[in-house]
Amino acid sequence: MKRLLSYFKPLNRLARAQAKWQANYGAIDSAQQVVNLLGVELPAPDTPLLEQDIISLDFETTGLNPDKDQILSIGYVEMQNGMLNLSSCEETFIKDSSGINAQSAIINQITPEMLKSGVGLDEAMDALFAKMAGKIVLVHGLTVEKSFLEHYLQQRFGIPLPPLLWLDTLLIEKMLVTNRHIREEGDYRLSSIRQRYGLPEYPSHGALIDAVATGELLLALLNKCFGRVTPRLDEVYDMHHYDLTTSD
């Protein structure tokens, strides 16, 4: 019975999904930077989470539909040993203003003039993939980043996004809410959750700022859940990924 239950644990399901993806797409020479995203193998479930390399990632986009909207900027910061490595901070603007409209400019305060010194999407993505390789990917609300990455890989390489090791501060916060009505209807904006944990207020809707804010929030959530005890990878991953791990 113990072995059967272990089979369905999210990290084990993720490992099988990664092996299946590797078998189908791992030999595509033109997409080796995508293959490298998976690293050598998944960390052991009992590995202390904060001993793992984590990259906190955020996209600013013109909307939520990758079929018609575009990525405007990519921001990330790396985390090692439970600390944000601010020297690793990067924010890249994409040199394509065709999708900017008045509404998106108001929301994320990115104008066409700001993108003139940006880089092409392929160049930005190649650099991002190199930084993401073998790392845990941290986001706040993974739907946006995951769907835009999936769309990009389908368009450029004709392959699906590899099953990555995602952590999502939004979903972790949801799992901590015991009232079902609040869980479904509550305010899960990054700024709102940070305020509940006494974290400083930052200007919102900047890719790099939001990436840093998400990294800080993860540390606050872990402190609430585990106190001074460093959690294992599976303790954090399993608590919010039962419904999200790619099925066999």
Side-chain angles (χ1 to χ4, degrees), residues 55-59 74-76 128 132 137-139 145 149 211:
I55 184 167
S56 183
L57 173 66
D58 185 78
F59 289 169
I74 298 170
Y76 61 80
L128 175 62
M132 288 172 60
V137 186
L138 173 67
V139 292
E145 283 75 19
L149 284 172

Side-chain angles (χ1 to χ4, degrees), residues 42-189:
L42 281 174
D46 60 352
T47 301
L49 171 63
L50 295 181
E51 291 183 2
Q52 297 299 302
D53 288 337
I54 300 172
I55 184 167
S56 183
L57 173 66
D58 185 78
F59 289 169
E60 289 300 312
T61 65
T62 57
L64 301 178
N65 185 347
D67 290 327
K68 64 179 182 180
D69 294 311
Q70 69 186 70
I71 299 171
L72 298 175
S73 64
I74 298 170
Y76 61 80
V77 60
E78 297 178 38
M79 299 177 65
Q80 292 100 17
N81 299 314
M83 295 183 290
L84 293 170
N85 178 7
L86 296 182
S87 67
S88 71
C89 286
E90 290 286 347
E91 183 165 24
T92 302
F93 290 97
I94 308 303
K95 194 172 185 178
D96 182 359
S97 61
S98 60
I100 291 184
N101 54 51
Q103 183 177 8
S104 68
I106 291 173
I107 292 174
N108 51 44
Q109 300 179 17
I110 295 176
T111 64
E113 290 72 24
M114 295 172 64
L115 304 182
K116 288 181 179 179
S117 60
V119 302
L121 182 59
D122 288 348
E123 180 182 346
M125 282 296 189
D126 287 345
L128 175 62
F129 293 155
K131 290 293 185 179
M132 288 172 60
K135 295 184 177 69
I136 296 172
V137 186
L138 173 67
V139 292
H140 184 78
L142 59 76
T143 301
V144 173
E145 283 75 19
K146 190 175 182 180
S147 64
F148 274 86
L149 284 172
E150 180 79 51
H151 181 267
Y152 174 79
L153 292 181
Q154 287 286 1
Q155 294 296 307
R156 183 176 177 185
F157 299 109
I159 61 176
L161 177 68
L164 302 176
L165 183 51
W166 296 92
L167 292 181
D168 185 345
T169 49
L170 185 153
L171 293 177
I172 295 174
E173 172 69 1
K174 275 193 172 184
M175 291 302 298
L176 296 176
V177 177
T178 56
N179 185 296
R180 189 171 184 177
H181 173 73
I182 296 176
R183 180 180 292 183
E184 294 175 354
E185 305 295 334
D187 184 351
Y188 295 104
R189 290 174 297 174

